[in-house]
Amino acid sequence: MVDGISHSVRELVAQEAMFLAADVGGTHARIGLVSHQPDGVRPVTVLQYHRYACADWPSLTAVLKDFVSQLDRSVHVDACAVASAGYVLGDAIVNDNLPWPVSIRDIRDSLGINQLAVINDFEAVAYATQFLGHADTTPVIETEAPQVDGPVLVMGPGTGLGSAVLLPGKPHATVLPTEAGQIALAPGNEREIEILRYLARDRAHVSFEHALSGPGLLNLYRALCVLRDQAAMLSLPSQVTQAALARSDAAAVEALDVFCALLGSFVGDLALLYGARGGVFLAGGILPQIREVLLASRFRERFFNKGVMRPFLQQVPVRLMEHGQLGVIGAAGMYLDGQHDRGRTQ
């Protein structure tokens, strides 16, 4: 539940129209009441915020209605910006990673709002990175060269594998959406070739998302159990992560090691592809949980292992960030900038 609206927030109600911003993933839905009140750093002020576990709710409409029901009765919202993976098809947001179908019409009618904008979830997170302070992130790879303006790559594994590129510009930055997670998985050594061969047994296309996501980590674990002639005792991605961190299952430990190594290779490839001179931000729900393992892993080695392009990558900083309210802030900012027009507004 969210707290009732405060006296200071009531003052903002009289000054600025407010709207909802939602960041919807396969595991969590993050909902915020926002106002176009720039605080000198961000384009909006987040007045109220709550994170919901999607599995506990029958629909996104139910989540949004619960959030609105906790607000003061003096608050009226007439618009909502929804950042979600997937795409709009007719009335629905289509995404296999969401636990339920999302009906745009149902949200509008149930909440009584006039406008609902649909924005890609990783576009929203990428947009919000321009408002991060240095202290808001953890360095994974630091550089001696001063940071320069240029494309910023934002990517991260969660329920799926998201990726977007922030392009600096005036009057505001723009975001390039990508489906980079669907690029074919490229092994970097013999062990990874064996894993790819196993994963390809029952599918014609093996993408990076099949390895670099929550379900992907489980795929790696199961493949390695077969290769190690070991029974697969774990059935959930969270169990693999916990066992790897506790070092209680050899296949889980190796799966997380391979995960970090493949991630380093993939991030290096994308940094080259998009010329990410502005740096790389790693996001998603998995990496903050394995931060210490990631920092000690082969990520750095594989990130730089790009032949003659190593000197370029040595100038690209890589930082880890907590997801938090970023998707909500990004969805709200893109909505205010009119960048949701590339998606869908109804």
Side-chain angles (χ1 to χ4, degrees):
M1 300 298 181
V2 296
D3 296 331
I5 198 163
S6 66
H7 176 72
S8 61
V9 172
R10 284 194 181 92
E11 294 177 349
L12 286 175
V13 173
Q15 300 172 26
E16 290 288 342
M18 297 180 296
F19 60 98
L20 298 178
D23 175 22
V24 185
T27 304
H28 293 106
R30 298 168 174 88
I31 315 296
L33 174 69
V34 301
S35 175
H36 185 202
Q37 283 276 340
D39 60 8
V41 178
R42 301 179 299 185
V44 297
T45 297
V46 179
L47 306 175
Q48 304 284 356
Y49 172 84
H50 190 65
R51 188 179 74 167
Y52 293 83
C54 293
D56 295 341
W57 297 85
S59 67
L60 178 58
T61 300
V63 169
L64 290 168
K65 288 180 68 175
D66 180 80
F67 182 86
V68 171
S69 72
Q70 306 306 311
L71 301 177
D72 189 277
R73 292 182 180 180
S74 64
V75 176
H76 174 70
V77 292
D78 197 42
C80 179
V82 175
S84 173
Y87 59 95
V88 175
L89 181 62
D91 173 58
I93 300 175
V94 179
N95 176 16
D96 290 340
N97 289 327
L98 293 181
W100 13 247
V102 176
S103 167
I104 295 171
R105 184 177 299 108
D106 184 50
I107 293 173
R108 288 186 60 207
D109 293 346
S110 296
L111 271 63
I113 59 176
N114 288 324
Q115 190 174 60
L116 188 144
V118 180
I119 299 163
N120 178 269
D121 63 337
F122 247 82
E123 286 186 72
V125 172
Y127 187 89
T129 59
Q130 61 191 307
F131 312 119
L132 284 174
H134 202 67
D136 297 326
T137 61
T138 299
V140 178
I141 295 176
E142 294 193 274
T143 64
E144 295 182 359
Q147 189 165 355
V148 299
D149 284 338
V152 176
L153 170 65
V154 183
M155 64 86 63
T159 308
L161 180 59
S163 176
V165 180
L166 180 76
L167 304 172
K170 299 295 183 181
H172 50 67
T174 57
V175 181
L176 174 68
T178 88
E179 290 294 341
Q182 302 310 311
I183 292 174
L185 179 64
N189 54 42
E190 289 297 324
R191 189 60 155 176
E192 291 170 10
I193 291 173
E194 292 179 320
I195 293 171
L196 175 59
R197 186 176 294 116
Y198 175 85
L199 296 178
R201 294 189 312 169
D202 57 357
R203 53 175 61 91
H205 173 68
V206 180
S207 70
F208 269 100
E209 187 173 81
H210 285 125
L212 298 179
S213 61
L217 179 60
L218 188 59
N219 288 338
L220 293 176
Y221 169 74
R222 288 171 173 165
L224 287 164
C225 283
V226 172
L227 295 175
R228 300 170 69 96
D229 196 24
Q230 169 184 327
M233 305 301 294
L234 311 173
S235 58
L236 296 173
S238 59
Q239 293 173 340
V240 178
T241 301
Q242 293 165 9
L245 295 177
R247 304 192 71 81
S248 61
D249 185 300
V253 172
E254 186 178 2
L256 198 57
D257 177 68
V258 171
F259 182 95
C260 292
L262 284 171
L263 182 67
S265 288
F266 187 49
V267 173
D269 286 342
L270 294 185
L272 292 178
L273 177 64
Y274 296 114
R277 295 181 181 275
V280 175
F281 286 102
L282 301 178
I286 296 175
L287 300 184
Q289 301 177 44
I290 63 166
R291 181 178 63 179
E292 298 308 316
V293 172
L294 176 68
L295 295 177
S297 73
R298 291 180 291 155
F299 176 94
R300 180 187 183 92
E301 170 194 332
R302 296 283 289 270
F303 177 81
F304 287 134
N305 186 27
K306 303 299 176 186
V308 298
M309 296 308 298
R310 183 184 181 94
F312 171 85
L313 291 173
Q314 288 175 327
Q315 301 179 58
V316 177
V318 180
R319 303 190 68 84
L320 173 65
M321 62 185 185
E322 294 278 358
H323 196 98
Q325 298 182 9
L326 285 175
V328 167
I329 294 168
M334 292 186 71
Y335 171 71
L336 291 171
D337 280 349
Q339 295 194 49
H340 60 278
D341 289 340
R342 294 176 316 189
R344 179 71 173 268
T345 303
Q346 294 194 357

